[in-house]
Amino acid sequence: HGETVRLLHLAADQGHAEAQLALGKCYSEGKGVGQNDDEGARWFRLAADKGHAGAQLALAKAYHDGKGVAQSDEEAASLWRLAADQGNMDGQCFLGWCYAEGRGVPKNDRESARWRRLAADQGHAPAYLALGAVLIEGIPDAVPADPCKGANLLALYAQTEIGEFGASGLNPALEVLRSHADNRDVVASCCIGCGATRGLKQCTRCHV
């Protein structure tokens, strides 16, 4: 690890954004060097200032957690937006969360759904869950209900994350789907999404 860090320092000192990001992670995680959040954030910032989306995400998390920098929801949201504007699906999903919770930006459910939809369109599993749960019932005056689309996204999340949750029944997408198991549109769309054909109550693939 020591030699890796030495080489990263050489590249980072020459202004290579990827090396700066990697070096920042070494410091923030204490890999090959003493753990140092301040140094981690400093290197993240150098790369983020070059427009590196990964570094913008890393620095946003530092601001969100208050590690190496003063905690600031506004700074975190601003950095997530920079990454999102580059098409980064993590940035899009995090920015959607900011708008949903009113963290660092004014609460705006319509904007939240828009950013989460952009991430979901790129195959981002957490966006499947967040957007799907909203679309099942909708939000008055902000997000029209679309239970078919919502169920389909939740089913996609359930299958994408099945290795993590297995048959434990803890998968949050399945909890939402179970609560709507009597809705025919939800049942049909869920089974289309995951490829099952027997309906939610008999489905063994989703363990519902």
Side-chain angles (χ1 to χ4, degrees):
H1 287 301
E3 179 63 11
T4 298
V5 171
R6 186 185 72 81
L7 293 173
L8 284 175
H9 259 293
L10 289 174
D13 286 339
Q14 293 179 42
H16 293 282
E18 198 69 42
Q20 291 170 338
L21 171 59
L23 188 58
K25 289 180 178 179
C26 288
Y27 277 108
S28 65
E29 298 171 9
K31 292 184 177 180
V33 292
Q35 199 278 334
N36 188 321
D37 287 326
D38 290 348
E39 272 296 283
R42 185 174 77 85
W43 286 109
F44 291 153
R45 187 182 304 282
L46 288 171
D49 287 346
K50 292 181 175 66
H52 192 290
Q56 291 163 349
L57 294 175
L59 187 57
K61 187 177 188 305
Y63 273 110
H64 177 264
D65 296 339
K67 291 187 175 181
V69 292
Q71 199 284 331
S72 171
D73 289 339
E74 291 75 16
E75 289 290 341
S78 177
L79 286 157
W80 278 324
R81 183 184 300 280
L82 289 174
D85 284 340
Q86 296 187 60
N88 182 281
M89 60 184 179
D90 288 321
Q92 291 168 341
C93 193
F94 278 123
L95 187 57
W97 173 82
C98 289
Y99 277 112
E101 300 296 324
R103 296 287 294 271
V105 294
K107 180 176 172 60
N108 187 320
D109 292 317
R110 186 177 287 107
E111 274 295 283
S112 173
R114 183 174 77 86
W115 284 107
R116 285 170 165 170
R117 193 184 304 276
L118 288 170
D121 287 345
Q122 295 192 67
H124 193 270
Y128 290 158
L129 174 62
L131 182 60
V134 167
L135 291 179
I136 285 281
E137 295 185 353
I139 299 176
D141 302 318
V143 183
D146 188 344
C148 295
K149 178 65 174 178
N152 184 259
L153 288 170
L154 291 169
L156 287 172
Y157 177 86
Q159 291 304 304
T160 301
E161 301 298 314
I162 201 70
E164 178 179 350
F165 297 101
S168 65
L170 298 177
N171 190 313
L174 301 186
E175 294 303 314
V176 177
L177 290 169
R178 285 192 185 101
S179 70
H180 294 82
D182 293 328
N183 185 316
R184 291 184 179 181
D185 288 337
V186 169
V187 173
S189 297
C190 174
C191 294
I192 291 171
C194 73
T197 57
R198 291 180 292 170
L200 282 172
K201 292 183 178 180
Q202 294 79 36
C203 181
T204 57
R205 295 189 63 185
C206 285
H207 308 287
V208 176

